[in-house]
Amino acid sequence: MNRTILLSGIVMGLLAIVLGAFGAHGLEKLVPADAVDSFETGVRYQMYHALLLLFLGIWNALDLKKQKTVFRLVLIGVILFSGSIYLLSINSLVAFDFKTIALLTPLGGTVLIFAWGILAYFVLAKK
């Protein structure tokens, strides 16, 4: 499981770098400045959570079930939060109206908060 968590953190971090570069050098020419700012927020939170997964993957203090729980919550949260922000940021470039998925952003944020909270609980409950 540690390998899966580490690889997920690495891929998530790599994608954050690629998407961040795209946002800074390509997207700014295509969408308004506020859309670029939103896009960068998604990238930033994706990178924060990539680092969390790297930490989780090398930290052996949690049992496998607890690691999996945090891992899944982080993955789902980033997909919902950052993914929806990416899609909403490019809304003006595509025919599909991504505003219909706008509720996924706060849902993803809530899942990420829960991931951090459950991790804190696991650490505090550890004997």
Side-chain angles (χ1 to χ4, degrees):
M1 186 65 191
N2 285 356
R3 181 180 170 159
T4 301
I5 294 171
L6 284 170
L7 285 173
S8 296
I10 290 166
V11 169
M12 194 182 295
L14 174 88
L15 288 173
I17 297 295
V18 170
L19 290 169
F22 169 70
H25 302 294
L27 192 61
E28 66 181 10
K29 299 170 187 152
L30 303 172
V31 298
D34 61 329
V36 174
D37 290 342
S38 293
F39 191 88
E40 289 174 355
T41 298
V43 170
R44 190 170 48 252
Y45 276 79
Q46 181 175 330
M47 182 56 85
Y48 294 156
H49 290 88
L51 295 172
L52 173 61
L53 290 182
L54 292 175
F55 168 75
L56 187 65
I58 62 172
W59 189 48
N60 292 320
L62 292 180
D63 64 50
L64 184 60
K65 184 178 178 185
K66 291 175 181 174
Q67 268 188 329
K68 281 184 180 182
T69 299
V70 175
F71 168 65
R72 288 177 179 147
L73 288 171
V74 168
L75 207 55
I76 291 166
V78 168
I79 290 168
L80 293 176
F81 182 80
S82 293
S84 63
I85 288 176
Y86 299 148
L87 294 174
L88 288 165
S89 296
I90 64 164
N91 197 48
S92 64
L93 301 177
V94 295
F96 183 79
D97 186 10
F98 286 114
K99 291 179 183 171
T100 59
I101 64 159
L103 288 177
L104 294 180
T105 307
L107 177 63
T110 302
V111 173
L112 290 172
I113 292 167
F114 189 68
W116 283 96
I118 198 83
L119 178 60
Y121 172 76
F122 289 155
V123 169
L124 290 171
K126 181 106 175 114
K127 302 211 190 256

